[in-house]
Amino acid sequence: MAHHLEGSRNSCALHGALQLFEAIDGVVPVIHSTSGCGVQHYLGVTRMSGGNDPFGSPPVSSSNIGQKHVVFGGGSRLREQLKNTVKVVQADLYAIVTGCSTEMVGDDIAAMAREGRDQNWPVIYTNTPGFSGDVHHGYHLAVKALIEQLPDIWKERDKVPSGLVNIWGIIPNQDPFWRGNLQELGRLLEGIGLVPNLLLGSEQSVASWQQIPGAVLNLVLSHWGELPARLLADRYATPSITLDSLPIGTAISTLLRRLTELLKLDTIRTEAFISREESRLNFQFARLADIYFHAGFQREFVLVGESAQVVAIGEFLGKSLGLLPRTLIITDNPPDSVHQSLITRLASIVPGYDTEVIFSEDRTDITEFIRASAAQLVLGSSLEREVSEESGVPFFALSFPLADRIVLERSYAGYRGATTLLEDIGTAILAFNRDCHLC
Amino acid sequence: MSEKIGKHIAIYGKGGIGKSTTASNISAALTDSGYRVIQIGCDPKSDSTTILRGGNDLPTVLDTLREQSKLRIEDISAIGFGGVLCIEAGGPVPGVGCAGRGINAAVELLQELNVFDEFKPDFVLYDVLGDVVCGGFAVPIRDGLADRAFVVTSSDFMAIFAANNLFKAVNKYAPSGGARLGGVIANSILAAYAPELIDDFAEKTGTNVIGYVPRSLVVAQSELYGKTVIEAAPQSEQAQVYRNLAKYIDENEDSVIPKPLNSPELKKWAREWGDRIFEVETGVVHEMASI
Ligand SMILES: Nc1ncnc2c1ncn2[C@@H]1O[C@H](COP(=O)(O)OP(=O)(O)O)[C@@H](O)[C@H]1O
Ligand code: SF4
Ligand SMILES: [Mg+2]
């Protein structure tokens, strides 16, 4: 049954595509839509992700169409905008993305991109009206456009380093910790002798995307990464490993061993690396023991976030730290086909303990589930702050939208991300306990 | 919206069925009776008022809007036969842009320009593109712009089909303040069975036929002179037919909410008529058959 959604955290497809393009050095997106689309992307998405503004302010090229262009078609406005953009900013790639209005009208975007290419401008395009789907769909569309259209623009391929691994499924800003997480993953892959092709974030440019076909493996870290892996398997027969998430803590060791085996890497090197990392982490766990009991870390928690985050953080807290996952709320609308496997996986984090797994992106519902859970710790987005305060339980914001934290390079992935997550959640619990004593 | 000035009437019907010809002749007949009339072509073809203006050029509202942001009524209108104020909404080139939104924009502009307050029409005729393909073309009947809609149809199935679609739109919008149906105008009547076929369709849909316009050479001839029949052949029988239509629209305020047929019903109805026409053409005579 249709029902209205309140405070959804999944923005539109256009914004998903922009997230991706803005995360690649040298790519300049050109929005073909009404002016509000670009503004909304900034106000409602980039700024709401731990201050992850791409350039500090939102200078994005947009055709800002008006009624005239709706009636007569906006093709010529886009042509002009593209021309002006090329004049003003030198880019390695211009990516045309569209919004609802221009798609309703049916402007021929492909033709405009073709015209650009005829002038030797590197232009790709993708039709991303908000009505076609949400931010995750937009990520798919943008990735698909790059995979399918880049080879026509750059016919020559650079030499690709051996052991290159492409990373998929982490959506910039939709995961506020995407930069730090990718960096940590990169460090781990290098640690076992692989060459990470992170594709997004600092120093990741169009050149990184050109290397995709030469990779030995596609590493998929959420359901949203399955489509690119499938496209690449079809085109280049690249094998892939698909995980529900990027693991946190010692759980990442399993992935490193699996990669070592599959790609026939140096086992001794991998084991040495793992042992170094794990002993560092175990040392920290040991140091934490006293305060863990003293402050009452072990408690029931609610976790609200994208499926990949819920899996990674939920398992880390439940399996490695002994916290109890009362209610896990998945907000990214993963395809129905994966619901059951997610439920099975998440419900058994702590054997014998009853964990509730919920799929919802509705703030009102989520608030109700949190109230009903009676959990003693709430981990979610800034949207969950209110209900946590009202319920009088400690709260820590770690999923999108993240309005009241600054996230620059913080990571909640791998070994180091485990440390950071411990520090942050621990601090939140201590601060809460202190405030309680004071009042 | 300020109080509506004049009676606002929308004419719909399949493309090429004779909407503009009929509307223009009705406008001409109404001015002949001393009324002030505005005819607004709401069709990207922009030829609604051609025969009221001797075929002269008239910049469309949308074309003018594209070139300049501030415009006056004079820029987008012309005085045609008998003082009819002629306006063409216009539209994009085929295959580009959104004509539906164009109609919307043009009508909005006319309201902003206070055309109705200034001209003080007794009648406003909206001559709207054939099928009600999308929301944009429903604007004249949807937003309370027109009080009554008339549909022009011939006895061709496709024309009837389009009329039935209009009925669906009227049926949808009338309860919330949209236009009601004033009646059906049967046009291009040639075959002997045509009036009865259209009558039957009207009866099945709870509507009525307000006039039968024969297919006539006078229309074609007048069109070649760039004139309405009222102007070019005022004494002709055809002119009298149009005058009667105008008189009906003037004197009769009746309107209904039609009951459109659903597609299986419409198909079945058409098949039955197909059989009947075949029988007529081949000379089968049924009892009580009145053709
Ligand atoms: N009753 C009629 N007799 C003869 N020709 C007609 C008649 N009605 C319309 N026509 C002709 O049919 C053609 C299409 O008519 P028009 O009014 O432009 O249709 P529409 O506005 O519905 O697209 C014109 O050439 C017109 O002269
Ligand atoms: S939903 Fe449509 S109109 Fe709204 S921002 Fe996205 S593309 Fe633009
Ligand atoms: Mg016409």
Side-chain angles (χ1 to χ4, degrees):
Chain A
M1 198 187 70
H3 90 140
H4 84 279
L5 255 184
E6 206 191 296
S8 170
R9 43 208 92 199
N10 297 319
S11 194
C12 72
L14 167 66
H15 298 162
L18 285 171
Q19 305 287 54
L20 187 94
F21 290 133
E22 288 187 346
I24 306 168
D25 272 0
V27 176
V28 169
V30 179
I31 303 176
H32 183 40
S33 195
T34 38
S35 56
C37 295
V39 174
Q40 198 49 38
H41 175 237
Y42 172 66
L43 293 178
V45 187
T46 47
R47 231 181 51 171
M48 287 294 137
S49 185
N52 265 317
D53 299 359
F55 317 102
S57 65
V60 58
S61 174
S62 169
S63 62
N64 292 0
I65 62 148
Q67 171 146 281
K68 191 159 99 178
H69 312 106
V70 171
V71 174
F72 294 104
S76 51
R77 178 72 269 278
L78 174 59
R79 178 187 292 126
E80 188 187 11
Q81 187 63 29
L82 187 61
K83 195 173 101 195
N84 293 346
T85 308
V86 171
K87 264 194 221 153
V88 177
V89 241
Q90 274 273 326
D92 297 330
L93 187 69
Y94 300 91
I96 302 172
V97 286
T98 57
C100 295
S101 45
T102 49
E103 290 297 337
M104 292 282 283
V105 170
D107 284 348
D108 192 352
I109 315 298
M112 292 299 128
R114 222 166 22 239
E115 274 189 21
R117 279 191 214 176
D118 288 346
Q119 318 214 35
N120 285 323
W121 300 334
V123 185
I124 63 167
Y125 74 96
T126 172
N127 306 84
T128 51
F131 55 72
S132 70
D134 72 5
V135 67
H136 308 92
H137 180 57
Y139 167 83
H140 275 169
L141 292 171
V143 165
K144 190 161 181 274
L146 284 162
I147 290 175
E148 288 176 352
Q149 297 172 45
L150 268 189
D152 290 341
I153 297 181
W154 281 282
K155 303 226 161 46
E156 295 131 55
R157 271 193 225 159
D158 287 346
K159 258 191 85 68
V160 170
S162 66
L164 189 77
V165 176
N166 303 322
I167 310 301
W168 302 105
I170 293 178
I171 305 182
N173 293 349
Q174 195 65 14
D175 176 355
F177 303 93
W178 65 280
R179 285 178 191 273
N181 288 354
L182 281 171
Q183 273 170 25
E184 168 70 353
L185 176 65
R187 184 183 75 87
L188 301 180
L189 294 183
E190 275 166 6
I192 60 169
L194 290 170
V195 182
N197 197 14
L198 301 177
L199 299 169
L200 305 169
S202 51
E203 290 168 35
Q204 301 299 311
S205 62
V206 179
S208 323
W209 287 77
Q210 283 174 263
Q211 296 194 328
I212 286 172
V216 289
L217 185 79
N218 288 309
L219 181 54
V220 175
L221 299 168
S222 80
H223 298 288
W224 308 113
E226 287 174 22
L227 176 88
R230 207 161 50 236
L231 291 174
L232 294 170
D234 289 348
R235 281 182 163 245
Y236 310 113
T238 323
S240 62
I241 288 184
T242 302
L243 304 182
D244 289 334
S245 70
L246 173 53
I248 305 175
T250 49
I252 195 91
S253 307
T254 316
L255 172 65
L256 299 183
R257 292 199 173 100
R258 192 167 157 197
L259 288 168
T260 304
E261 192 188 318
L262 183 82
L263 300 174
K264 302 195 172 44
L265 306 178
D266 179 350
T267 318
I268 296 171
R269 176 178 176 174
T270 298
E271 287 307 326
F273 181 74
I274 289 176
S275 131
R276 212 164 46 240
E277 293 288 329
E278 285 193 351
S279 59
R280 190 188 55 85
L281 197 56
N282 288 333
F283 175 64
Q284 290 168 353
F285 281 167
R287 284 177 61 204
L288 192 72
D290 182 45
I291 192 89
Y292 180 91
F293 293 109
H294 180 67
F297 271 39
Q298 191 183 40
R299 50 178 78 205
E300 293 189 312
F301 67 93
V302 178
L303 171 58
V304 187
E306 301 240 314
S307 49
Q309 263 190 318
V310 169
V311 169
I313 296 173
E315 287 191 345
F316 173 66
L317 296 181
K319 292 192 166 167
S320 305
L321 272 193
L323 274 72
L324 300 166
R326 183 75 277 273
T327 306
L328 302 176
I329 303 174
I330 292 174
T331 59
D332 58 345
N333 272 324
D336 288 348
S337 55
V338 302
H339 279 208
Q340 196 46 52
S341 72
L342 280 171
I343 292 172
T344 311
R345 175 169 185 171
L346 293 170
S348 60
I349 291 179
V350 179
Y353 175 79
D354 195 13
T355 297
E356 191 178 19
V357 181
I358 288 155
F359 296 86
S360 174
E361 54 174 322
D362 183 285
R363 188 183 180 184
T364 311
D365 285 354
I366 291 172
T367 301
E368 274 316 307
F369 285 121
I370 293 174
R371 279 206 191 100
S373 75
Q376 289 305 303
L377 171 66
V378 175
L379 309 169
S381 75
S382 298
L383 295 173
E384 279 71 62
R385 176 180 292 282
E386 212 176 292
V387 59
S388 315
E389 284 173 359
E390 175 200 305
S391 314
V393 298
F395 164 75
F396 184 66
L398 44 62
S399 59
F400 181 87
L402 203 54
D404 38 17
R405 284 188 66 184
I406 300 287
V407 181
L408 297 174
E409 275 195 349
R410 205 161 201 69
S411 156
Y412 293 150
Y415 301 111
R416 291 192 179 165
T419 308
T420 325
L421 187 57
L422 267 179
E423 289 168 347
D424 288 351
I425 294 180
T427 305
I429 294 177
L430 289 187
F432 180 83
N433 289 353
R434 188 198 54 224
D435 290 350
C436 266
H437 287 305
L438 291 179
C439 62
Chain B
M1 219 195 307
S2 58
E3 185 147 332
K4 198 179 281 175
I5 298 168
K7 296 179 184 173
H8 291 237
I9 279 150
I11 312 269
Y12 280 81
K14 174 185 170 296
I17 204 64
K19 294 178 296 294
S20 300
T21 310
T22 312
S24 299
N25 276 291
I26 292 173
S27 290
L30 286 169
T31 54
D32 249 4
S33 318
Y35 289 121
R36 292 175 67 74
V37 182
I38 303 180
Q39 181 166 324
I40 304 170
C42 297
D43 186 331
K45 263 202 302 176
S46 313
D47 63 352
S48 171
T49 59
T50 313
I51 55 173
L52 284 166
R53 298 180 280 106
N56 294 329
D57 268 358
L58 170 62
T60 69
V61 176
L62 290 174
D63 278 339
T64 316
L65 201 58
R66 169 151 56 173
E67 306 302 335
Q68 59 205 71
S69 53
K70 275 236 164 303
L71 48 161
R72 299 158 308 158
I73 302 179
E74 304 85 85
D75 301 331
I76 47 147
S77 64
I79 300 293
F81 171 75
V84 177
L85 187 73
C86 303
I87 297 172
E88 296 286 352
V93 295
V96 185
C98 177
R101 182 60 220 173
I103 300 295
N104 237 310
V107 170
E108 262 172 26
L109 184 82
L110 294 179
Q111 276 166 348
E112 275 168 34
L113 289 177
N114 288 329
V115 173
F116 306 130
D117 296 311
E118 298 207 356
F119 190 80
K120 300 201 176 10
D122 299 301
F123 287 94
V124 180
L125 272 76
Y126 300 86
D127 171 13
V128 195
L129 170 138
D131 295 302
V132 195
V133 278
C134 71
F137 295 101
V139 167
I141 55 164
R142 190 180 61 199
D143 299 340
L145 236 46
D147 321 294
R148 282 179 294 164
F150 290 87
V151 67
V152 179
T153 184
S154 68
S155 58
D156 290 347
F157 179 68
M158 284 309 166
I160 297 272
F161 182 81
N164 195 57
N165 278 347
L166 172 76
F167 292 175
K168 288 181 183 167
V170 172
N171 190 279
K172 177 174 168 54
Y173 292 120
S176 52
R180 292 160 62 96
L181 193 85
V184 177
I185 299 172
N187 189 35
S188 288
I189 300 303
L190 198 60
Y193 64 82
E196 203 193 342
L197 182 148
I198 299 171
D199 281 347
D200 187 40
F201 171 69
E203 196 197 314
K204 293 275 185 319
T205 52
T207 58
N208 68 314
V209 182
I210 68 156
Y212 305 86
V213 185
R215 177 152 199 92
S216 148
L217 264 182
V218 189
V219 173
Q221 200 179 14
S222 307
E223 186 178 64
L224 290 171
Y225 294 134
K227 288 179 175 161
T228 56
V229 176
I230 301 288
E231 183 182 6
Q235 306 305 326
S236 63
E237 272 177 49
Q238 191 78 5
Q240 195 49 46
V241 173
Y242 289 124
R243 276 190 208 104
N244 291 344
L245 278 179
K247 191 160 179 290
Y248 178 93
I249 290 173
D250 177 23
E251 292 175 355
N252 207 306
E253 303 264 330
D254 291 353
S255 65
V256 296
I257 298 183
K259 297 188 287 285
L261 302 178
N262 62 29
S263 8
E265 284 167 354
L266 189 61
K267 248 183 240 156
K268 180 164 168 281
W269 175 85
R271 198 167 312 119
E272 280 165 14
W273 268 98
D275 293 344
R276 267 172 86 174
I277 294 165
F278 177 77
E279 286 168 6
V280 171
E281 299 290 311
T282 51
V284 183
V285 179
H286 284 282
E287 239 179 292
M288 312 250 320
S290 57
I291 299 177

